[in-house]
Amino acid sequence: MKVSIIGSGKVGIATALYLIEKKVADVILIDVIKNWAEGIAMDIVQASPIRRYDVSICGYSEVSKIQDSDVVVVTAGKPRLPGMSREDLLRDNIKIMKQVAKDVAKYAPNTILITVSNPLDILAYVALKVTGFALKKVIGMAGILDSSRFRYFIASELGVSPKNVTALVLGGHGDLMVPLPRYSTVHGIPITELLPKSTIDRLVERTRKAGGEIVSYLKTGSAYWSPGSSVAEMVECIVRDRRRIVPCSAYLRGEYGVEGLFAGVPIKIGRNGVEEIIELTLTTEEKQALHLSAGKVKDVIEQLETENLI
Ligand code: NAD
């Protein structure tokens, strides 16, 4: 299997490393900066005798090298700096996504496309429109990361292994994302049975702001290890047809009462991309939170359409 990563910055490199270490597939790294991806790939592959992997990794500036990839990941784009929201990246990153999506449609028309660049749900929409791919073949990476963060915070609070914890975060990948305590468990026990509401509220709020918290420490960019591992997990599910249920940003056609947008929902992810969208029963309050979050994405898309930007 061939996996290409367009954008060999911090998230792209972290993704590549996790994929290579897990021997998921041969990896192609692409970056617009001349020779950058070649250098990164060279550096990673020279550790192969020590790390004991025999899958290949190559880097190029020419995007045509993604030809016939089974999975393409787009991590090209600017990251957040302190004080910025993900939406602040829109004007720069939409141009990049439009060009990259055109290239993906040209060189890898049968691929599954995972978008990562922010603002996530909006750029996934742009990628879908530009490529004209089937809906199930374009997936945004967000919920798997946001859920991982929520899982970690729950595990730390309870002093249990993170492996013991499952959690679900729905909605858009922004400060209005919707962590769902009712669907978050420690070995099947809902956290609502284990923690008081005030503590859960604090963990929910920390999850919503977790990306920004890291930006405030890093100052020159945003998180990359946890995002990279989240992308690698999605790629592995596709390449190995794992059919795991994970939250991802998928195009919704009325599911959860959301129409014609990308939003974070539980999906079954496998060889064909989105194998199924899982619809859960939500309380009125959870539904309202999801619609508020998706509504923000919708407003931006309508604005872009008015300006003929998509
Ligand atoms: P980075 O600046 O380290 O890397 C971005 C790379 O993209 C750079 O190397 C740049 O040269 C390259 N690039 C730009 N235009 C390109 C093009 N047309 N073709 C090929 N390469 C191109 O940034 P990063 O930290 O790796 O973040 C990348 C993106 O991912 C950002 O938009 C960031 O906001 C986003 N992100 C999303 C999530 C998520 O949960 N969805 C998490 C973290 C980061």
Side-chain angles (χ1 to χ4, degrees), residues 95-239:
K95 287 186 211 136
I96 295 173
M97 183 57 87
K98 277 166 120 176
Q99 181 54 51
V100 168
K102 219 181 273 177
D103 291 335
V104 173
K106 179 172 176 191
Y107 294 110
N110 299 315
T111 196
I112 307 291
L113 177 58
I114 298 176
T115 70
V116 181
S117 319
N118 275 317
L120 189 274
D121 307 280
I122 294 156
L123 293 188
Y125 182 91
V126 171
L128 179 76
K129 291 288 153 192
V130 173
T131 56
F133 282 2
L135 303 181
K136 64 182 180 181
K137 288 176 62 182
V138 181
I139 319 173
M141 186 290 285
I144 188 166
L145 167 64
D146 300 324
S147 301
S148 178
R149 287 171 167 159
F150 195 27
R151 288 166 70 185
Y152 171 73
F153 297 146
I154 293 165
S156 301
E157 189 69 33
L158 288 166
V160 301
S161 164
K163 281 162 78 174
N164 228 199
V165 181
T166 62
L168 199 52
V169 179
L170 305 188
H173 183 52
D175 292 350
L176 294 176
M177 66 180 73
V178 188
L180 290 180
R182 274 190 330 119
Y183 287 110
S184 301
T185 72
V186 181
H187 197 71
I189 308 164
I191 59 164
T192 45
E193 299 287 318
L194 300 170
L195 290 167
K197 183 172 180 312
S198 55
T199 305
I200 293 176
D201 288 348
R202 175 167 50 78
L203 302 185
V204 162
E205 205 44 32
R206 186 160 183 212
T207 302
R208 290 193 171 124
K209 304 271 169 62
E213 189 181 355
I214 292 174
V215 172
S216 77
Y217 283 105
L218 298 184
K219 298 206 166 48
T220 54
S222 52
Y224 47 100
W225 291 114
S226 50
S229 69
S230 306
V231 183
E233 181 88 349
M234 289 171 69
V235 173
E236 186 183 359
C237 285
I238 295 166
V239 169

Side-chain angles (χ1 to χ4, degrees), residues 2-13 16 27-41 44 57-67 69 71-77 96 99-100 103-104 107-108:
K2 175 173 169 180
V3 176
S4 294
I5 301 171
I6 305 181
S8 306
K10 294 194 214 63
V11 179
I13 294 169
V27 172
I28 301 291
L29 280 175
I30 304 287
D31 202 278
V32 75
I33 300 172
K34 198 162 169 44
N35 294 334
W36 172 261
E38 286 92 322
I40 296 291
I44 292 176
I57 175 160
C58 300
Y60 305 97
S61 323
E62 304 86 38
V63 73
S64 57
K65 298 290 186 185
I66 69 167
Q67 186 108 34
S69 294
V71 182
V72 174
V73 176
V74 181
T75 49
I96 295 173
Q99 181 54 51
V100 168
D103 291 335
V104 173
Y107 294 110

